[in-house]
């Protein structure tokens, strides 16, 4: 809102900053342009509509959607506790929960292996329950959730802190129970933050590679998501790898673009009132 | 009220980009830019131990010479060389990748075959599924992990299965031998198919179960000087070392077969 309102013609920026900024834009955009330039357009459609490509794309969309739902189910309470509750060790817990943001995904995969694997921490219990996670689509969803959850938590906690306590306090003094306050006041207030967090989580899940490779394996239609398919195709068919990479870039760009538009219009809608 | 949301989202987006950087990908090793006395050798990942030893021997024989080694999957290395990476010598784990470079006129001479490698079954040390033959791999309920057919070890696994007259129903088709070994040594899989040399390197973490049908799927390792190398003489001498007595001794000690 007020941040973007500045006198016309004055950006408040020294001119020289345009040079490193241009380099910054280039650092991201140039490799993407180079990728697009490498696409074999004549063969693009057959390459991206082959059975293995479609299976990988379908699996990626399904697992990323499932892990986004799981992220919401687990992430909303986590963010609420981190933002609203107060207990000893909270700072440490927050840092630990956000750890997957900076962890190499392979490390996440190894950690998951020793948690949910057949010989992992929960392995024997899962086996008794008749749940087989190894080499299943569930393993993919777990890996994606592990790496994507912090994105949801971090953007949701920010939204919660920004929204403040005021409306919740008012609702409580008017006699609303905590659950009512949560569902009728808190969650509607942070809806835009929730949406952008969910989209970030979805995008991160879609791009998940290292943890999936380490923990879930790679089998067409079961565990081989689009990034794994690209990694494998590269071995024999670089053209297919490039074409699929472009598909992944397009899907990710669409998702992020959609989210920012919705967040922006949501923000404007609230701000107008 | 919403002022902080933008930065929060940006921070998260930045972290997203950072996290993305961590995913896989093989960066080309530092190049020795051909400066006097430096020989750059690109070799298949399975040759790491052997070539590290041979490079040491070569440096001792040629004082002042520095051998720069770059290990990765054969097709990764071939891609890097095609893209202009400064390699003087290339050693591949299969003839297919070498043939690709030959077809692109990127080799300085005829490739020489210097080693061979054979598949073996590997199982976790306690062999939970009681695997002792190739046919056991096809038993229902056995979690078998192989390389994908697109990579050399996967192509070999398919040949072995055809020779055994069985069809495997793998739980996973990995992109590299390392990933297969990881699944077996962690106990996630009951068995996997890797090369004898890989199994030997992982001794203690996995147990090898040799099988007769492996003879149908032997991989040959070719080595060649790369075209445009400024070190043709050193490259030729390094290839002589690998294909000569010292090379044969080190290779067979590591479990490689000799042509």
């Amino acid at each position: 809102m007020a941040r973007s309102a500045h006198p016309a013609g004055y950006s408040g920026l020294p001119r020289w900053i345009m040079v490193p900024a241009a380099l910054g834009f280039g650092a991201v955009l140039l490799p993407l342009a180079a990728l697009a330039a490498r696409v074999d357009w004549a063969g693009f459609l057959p390459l991206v509509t082959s059975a293995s490509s479609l299976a990988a794309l379908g699996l990626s969309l399904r697992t990323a959607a499932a892990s986004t739902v799981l992220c919401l189910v687990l992430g909303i309470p986590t963010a609420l506790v981190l933002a609203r509750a107060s207990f000893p060790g909270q700072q440490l817990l927050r840092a630990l929960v956000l750890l997957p943001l900076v962890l190499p995904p392979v490390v996440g995969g190894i950690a998951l292996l020793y948690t949910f694997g057949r010989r992992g921490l929960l392995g024997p219990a899962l086996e008794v329950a008749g749940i087989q996670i190894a080499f299943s689509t569930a393993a993919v969803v777990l890996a994606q959730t592990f790496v994507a959850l912090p994105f949801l938590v971090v953007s949701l906690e920010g939204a919660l802190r920004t929204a403040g306590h005021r409306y919740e306090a008012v609702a409580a003094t008017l006699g609303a129970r905590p659950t009512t306050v949560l569902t009728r006041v808190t969650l509607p207030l942070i809806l835009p933050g929730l949406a952008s967090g969910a989209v970030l989580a979805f995008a991160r899940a879609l791009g998940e590679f290292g943890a999936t490779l380490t923990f879930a394996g790679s089998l067409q239609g079961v565990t081989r998501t689009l990034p794994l398919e690209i990694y494998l195709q590269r071995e024999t068919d670089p053209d297919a790898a490039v074409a699929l990479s472009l598909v992944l870039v397009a899907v990710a760009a669409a998702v992020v673009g959609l989210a920012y538009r919705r967040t922006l219009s949501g923000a404007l809608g609230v701000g107008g009132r | 009220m919403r002022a902080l949301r933008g930065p929060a989202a940006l921070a998260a987006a930045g972290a997203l980009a950072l996290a993305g950087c961590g995913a896989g990908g093989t960066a080309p090793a530092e190049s020795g830019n051909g400066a006097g006395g430096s020989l750059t050798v690109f070799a298949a990942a399975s040759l790491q131990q052997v070539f590290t030893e041979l490079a040491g021997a070569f440096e001792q024989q040629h004082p002042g010479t520095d051998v720069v080694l770059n290990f990765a999957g054969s097709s990764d290395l071939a891609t890097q060389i095609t893209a202009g990476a400064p390699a003087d010598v290339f050693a591949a784990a299969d003839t297919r990748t070498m043939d690709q470079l030959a077809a692109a006129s990127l080799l300085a001479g005829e490739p020489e075959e210097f080693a061979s490698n054979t598949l073996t079954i590997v199982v976790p040390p306690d062999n939970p599924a009681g695997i002792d033959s190739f046919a056991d791999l096809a038993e229902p309920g056995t979690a078998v992990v192989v390389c994908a057919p697109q990579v050399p070890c996967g192509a070999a696994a398919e040949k072995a299965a055809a020779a055994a007259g069985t069809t495997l129903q793998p739980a996973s088709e990995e992109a590299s031998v390392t990933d297969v070994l990881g699944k077996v040594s962690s106990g996630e899989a009951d068995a996997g198919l890797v090369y004898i040399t890989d199994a030997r390197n992982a001794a203690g973490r996995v147990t090898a179960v040799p099988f007769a049908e492996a003879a149908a799927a032997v991989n040959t390792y070719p080595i060649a000087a790369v075209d445009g190398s400024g070190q043709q003489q050193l490259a030729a001498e390094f290839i002589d070392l690998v294909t000569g007595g010292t090379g044969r001794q080190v290779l067979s000690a590591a479990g490689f077969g000799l042509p």
Side-chain angles (χ1 to χ4, degrees):
Chain A
M1 359 181 264
R3 288 168 67 246
S4 58
H6 50 72
Y10 177 70
S11 66
L13 287 175
R15 272 177 197 233
W16 57 262
I17 207 134
M18 297 303 168
V19 177
L23 289 177
F25 286 119
V28 176
L29 298 181
L30 194 64
L32 291 179
L35 183 71
R38 261 303 165 95
V39 173
D40 168 21
W41 291 107
F44 185 77
L45 216 58
L47 286 178
V48 300
T49 53
S50 72
S52 61
S53 302
L54 288 179
L57 179 63
L59 182 69
S60 266
L61 292 174
R62 273 182 283 129
T63 51
S67 48
T68 306
V69 171
L70 201 54
C71 278
L72 286 169
V73 170
L74 302 174
I76 295 175
T78 307
L80 281 166
V81 167
L82 286 179
R84 291 285 189 263
S86 159
F87 52 90
Q90 193 174 7
Q91 292 293 346
L92 182 68
L93 192 64
R94 173 186 293 112
L96 290 176
V97 166
L98 299 187
L99 215 51
L101 280 179
V102 290
L103 223 52
V106 178
V107 176
I110 294 174
L112 286 168
L113 200 57
Y114 291 122
T115 312
F116 298 101
R118 284 203 332 200
R119 300 193 177 169
L121 207 57
L122 304 179
L126 289 168
E127 198 162 323
V128 169
I131 301 170
Q132 170 85 0
I133 290 184
F135 307 119
S136 70
T137 306
V140 179
V141 174
L142 277 177
Q144 291 176 346
T145 305
F146 180 81
V147 297
L149 189 59
F151 286 91
L152 189 92
V153 172
V154 88
S155 58
L156 211 53
E157 199 198 341
L160 278 165
R161 291 189 179 278
T162 316
H165 290 272
R166 277 182 304 150
Y167 296 107
E168 292 162 13
V170 170
T173 53
L174 291 177
R177 292 170 189 281
T179 304
T180 314
V181 175
L182 179 67
T183 55
R184 303 290 291 277
V185 179
T186 314
L187 290 182
L189 262 179
I190 58 161
L191 211 52
L194 196 60
S196 67
V199 165
L200 275 175
F202 182 83
R204 181 65 190 90
L206 202 60
E208 213 313 292
F209 173 76
T212 310
L213 189 72
T214 320
F215 173 54
S218 172
L219 191 67
Q220 184 176 328
V222 183
T223 50
R224 188 175 296 154
T225 55
L226 203 46
L228 270 72
E229 175 74 16
I230 292 170
Y231 186 63
L232 189 61
Q233 286 292 355
R234 213 179 38 118
E235 292 281 341
T236 45
D237 193 350
D239 283 342
V242 169
L244 287 174
S245 301
L246 198 71
V247 169
L248 198 56
V249 169
V251 173
V255 166
V256 173
L258 205 71
Y260 273 90
R261 216 175 54 187
R262 198 195 308 164
T263 315
L264 212 60
S265 60
L268 288 176
V270 178
R273 241 172 268 160
Chain B
M1 204 177 131
R2 276 163 303 281
L4 271 182
R5 192 176 305 124
L10 270 186
L16 178 76
L18 283 177
C21 297
T26 32
E30 288 172 28
S31 66
N33 37 316
S38 167
L39 183 75
T40 306
V41 178
F42 280 26
S46 47
L47 292 168
Q48 179 146 12
Q49 199 198 342
V50 168
F51 268 44
T52 307
E53 194 176 334
L54 288 175
F58 189 77
E59 285 173 350
Q60 271 189 351
Q61 290 172 12
H62 299 75
T65 303
D66 186 25
V67 179
V68 181
L69 294 166
N70 178 20
F71 297 107
S74 298
S75 43
D76 274 340
L77 294 172
T79 309
Q80 289 171 17
I81 292 173
T82 310
D88 300 311
V89 175
F90 177 44
D94 65 338
T95 44
R96 189 173 52 101
T97 38
M98 192 60 91
D99 292 346
Q100 283 171 6
L101 289 189
S105 309
L106 288 166
L107 300 181
E110 278 295 303
E112 273 186 77
E113 295 181 350
F114 66 96
S116 64
N117 215 344
T118 311
L119 287 181
T120 180
I121 300 170
V122 283
V123 295
D126 58 347
N127 196 358
I131 308 280
D132 55 18
S133 75
F134 195 85
D136 288 348
L137 299 182
E139 290 286 316
T142 309
V144 181
V145 176
V146 297
C147 290
Q150 286 91 334
V151 288
C153 59
E158 277 196 334
K159 270 192 228 163
T166 45
T167 317
L168 297 180
Q169 300 283 337
S172 179
E173 295 172 350
E174 306 285 340
S176 78
V177 167
T178 326
D179 291 323
V180 175
L181 274 177
K183 300 288 189 300
V184 176
S185 63
S186 66
E188 284 302 284
D190 297 320
L193 286 175
V194 300
Y195 291 116
I196 284 179
T197 54
D198 302 310
R200 197 173 285 201
N201 282 336
R205 293 183 291 127
V206 298
T207 305
V209 181
F211 62 103
E213 295 87 347
V218 177
N219 255 49
T220 336
Y221 285 57
I223 187 167
V226 178
D227 192 42
S229 151
Q231 301 284 15
Q232 295 297 353
Q233 183 61 35
L234 277 179
E237 286 173 19
F238 185 82
I239 292 172
D240 284 346
L241 175 76
V242 172
T243 53
T246 316
R248 296 171 73 87
Q249 195 187 334
V250 174
L251 283 161
S252 65
F256 284 99
L258 298 170

